[in-house]
Amino acid sequence: MAAGFFRDAAPMRAPPWLLGLTLLLGGGAASTSHAAPPSGCGILPNSQYVGRYLCAQGWTDMTLTVLDVEGPRVRMQGTFQHAPTGTQGAYLLRGNCYPSNGRMTLIPQAWVQQPPGYMMVGLSGIVANNGQSFTGRMLHRSCGEFTFSRP
C-alpha cells in the first residue's frame, strides 16, 4: 500500500442520523463546553472569595465573585455590605495576578449598585495557598487591610 493512497480518496461521511444522535447524547466534537483553566495564581472562574475590609465606615463584609480568568488577567465583582448601617453595593474590578510572586491588584471599573456616599476602591495583595486566600490592603488613604478566603 502506498503512503499516499488515502490522500486522494473521498472522505468518509457519517450518515446525518448518526450526527444527530451524537449531538443529542452530547458526545463527539460537537460538544465544546469546557471549563476555563485557573489563572497561574490558582484563581478559578466562577469561584468566590468571602471576607471583609476596613475603610472609613468600619469593617465591611465583601464577596469577590470571579467572573473571568484569562492567563494573569482576572475580572471580578465585589459585593459589599456594611452591617451596622445596612448599606449594600457592588462594583466590577479588573486586574492581574502574577504566579511568580502571587501579587494581585484589582482596579475598580464600574458600579453595579452604588450606594450614596460610597466610592469604588481597588485592592492589592497576595493570593496564597493555591488560590485559597487573598490578603492585602485597600487602595485608598482612608482604608486599611482586607482578608478573603474561598469557602
Side-chain angles (χ1 to χ4, degrees):
M1 202 183 301
F5 176 75
F6 291 104
R7 188 176 327 153
D8 297 326
M12 292 184 61
R13 298 187 190 269
W17 63 267
L18 183 58
L19 180 58
L21 183 61
T22 301
L23 292 173
L24 181 64
L25 296 176
S31 178
T32 58
S33 63
H34 300 287
S39 74
C41 294
I43 297 172
L44 301 171
N46 304 313
S47 63
Q48 290 188 326
Y49 290 84
V50 178
R52 63 189 196 146
Y53 65 89
L54 180 61
C55 277
Q57 74 276 8
W59 284 103
T60 304
D61 297 324
M62 184 178 230
T63 299
L64 293 171
T65 302
V66 181
L67 303 174
D68 297 312
V69 176
E70 186 177 321
R73 292 187 299 256
V74 177
R75 193 169 65 97
M76 296 187 182
Q77 178 174 310
T79 304
F80 61 88
Q81 180 176 6
H82 183 244
T85 62
T87 303
Q88 299 178 28
Y91 60 99
L92 300 174
L93 301 119
R94 182 176 305 238
N96 292 303
C97 187
Y98 299 100
S100 60
N101 59 11
R103 172 130 329 255
M104 182 164 67
T105 300
L106 298 172
I107 305 300
Q109 298 296 302
W111 281 105
V112 174
Q113 175 189 352
Q114 181 180 11
Y118 275 72
M119 58 190 268
M120 298 181 289
V121 176
L123 299 89
S124 183
I126 301 294
V127 176
N129 303 320
N130 195 29
Q132 294 296 314
S133 64
F134 178 37
T135 57
R137 294 193 59 80
M138 301 298 286
L139 297 175
H140 190 271
R141 67 180 178 275
S142 69
C143 298
E145 65 189 84
F146 67 80
T147 182
F148 294 96
S149 60
R150 244 183 358 220

